[in-house]
Amino acid sequence: MKLLPLLRNIRKGDKVLSPFCIVTLLAVLFMSCEDKKNKVGALYTGPIEIVNDVQIKYSEQGKIKVLMKTPRSQRFQNETQIFPDTVNISFYDSLSNVATKLRSDSGRYDKSSDVYIVKGNVRVTLIEKSQILNTSELNWSPRTRKIFTDKAVSIRTVGSPEVIYATGLDAEQDFTNIKFRQGRGTVKFSNSDPGGSPAANSAPSQ
């Protein structure tokens, strides 16, 4: 705000405002400018783009390898993407058949590390092996084609009473060659109690 024209306008004859009035006026002008600056300078931290019915595909040599579907995506200033709703990912084999299916409650894509992170009731169905893997969080790197986590993991074969428990795993993106970082044991459930208490004689995993 220009002060000199304002001071010229407040002259009356040969007299000007007293020094006290001028100081008061300057203080009011300064506070007004600061308020305006604060309002203009407030940074927006919300999403800069929202997309519905999202499908993300990864292909190699013209063949689809990964297909991710989610109802909504939010993209932020740092290029991070948030998927606040259910995430479904299909991993395909060399014949373009779905080999593995993954679902989670939510997910996000970290641009800086080029990694997808899915969280909440993560369930992975290994179709060929007839196995179900459960955990709270999984990470997938499109660059290295690796799946990994440091969270607790359980895996069972459909129709088998045994469940393997471990902490952390590393695997190929099609979930072949799964390696547990720390095995916690194999628990055998009674056939009459498939979701209940483990049998007394559980064997440790190797």
Side-chain angles (χ1 to χ4, degrees):
M1 185 176 290
K2 296 181 179 180
L3 182 61
L4 289 178
L6 183 63
L7 291 177
R8 291 194 190 100
N9 290 335
I10 60 176
R11 285 178 177 272
K12 188 175 182 181
D14 293 332
K15 296 182 180 180
V16 297
L17 292 178
S18 68
F20 174 77
C21 291
I22 293 176
V23 170
T24 303
L25 179 61
L26 288 174
V28 171
L29 290 174
F30 177 77
M31 292 174 64
S32 175
C33 290
E34 281 297 307
D35 279 346
K36 193 172 183 180
K37 180 180 177 182
N38 288 337
K39 289 179 181 178
V40 173
L43 294 177
Y44 174 70
T45 58
I48 60 174
E49 180 185 66
I50 298 176
V51 180
N52 295 320
D53 298 323
V54 179
Q55 291 192 24
I56 299 175
K57 296 180 181 180
Y58 283 83
S59 302
E60 293 177 12
Q61 298 178 346
K63 292 185 177 180
I64 186 169
K65 289 298 181 181
V66 181
L67 172 61
M68 189 189 83
K69 295 182 179 181
T70 188
R72 188 158 49 106
S73 170
Q74 300 173 340
R75 184 168 63 88
F76 292 80
Q77 192 69 42
N78 62 358
E79 295 301 321
T80 292
Q81 289 178 272
I82 301 295
F83 313 117
D85 304 309
T86 303
V87 175
N88 288 281
I89 304 177
S90 297
F91 296 91
Y92 292 77
D93 61 18
S94 58
L95 299 176
S96 298
N97 297 317
V98 177
T100 305
K101 291 183 177 181
L102 180 153
R103 65 83 54 204
S104 67
D105 291 341
S106 63
R108 67 185 176 90
Y109 171 66
D110 189 330
K111 175 71 173 181
S112 61
S113 60
D114 190 22
V115 170
Y116 286 86
I117 302 100
V118 293
K119 294 184 177 182
N121 298 308
V122 181
R123 177 187 174 95
V124 180
T125 304
L126 288 70
I127 297 174
E128 186 175 341
K129 296 181 179 180
S130 297
Q131 292 180 325
I132 306 294
L133 183 150
N134 290 278
T135 186
S136 61
E137 179 180 318
L138 272 182
N139 306 281
W140 169 54
S141 169
R143 181 177 57 82
T144 63
R145 304 178 183 85
K146 300 291 185 181
I147 299 284
F148 57 95
T149 185
D150 58 2
K151 306 299 182 182
V153 176
S154 68
I155 186 168
R156 67 181 178 85
T157 301
V158 176
S160 171
E162 293 186 346
V163 179
I164 298 173
Y165 292 96
T167 300
L169 69 78
D170 297 275
E172 303 297 325
Q173 69 180 19
D174 59 0
F175 285 88
T176 57
N177 302 319
I178 296 176
K179 294 181 180 180
F180 297 115
R181 297 181 183 180
Q182 182 182 353
R184 299 211 315 263
T186 301
V187 178
K188 184 174 183 179
F189 290 87
S190 168
N191 289 332
S192 61
D193 187 19
S197 59
N201 54 341
S202 59
S205 64
Q206 302 297 321

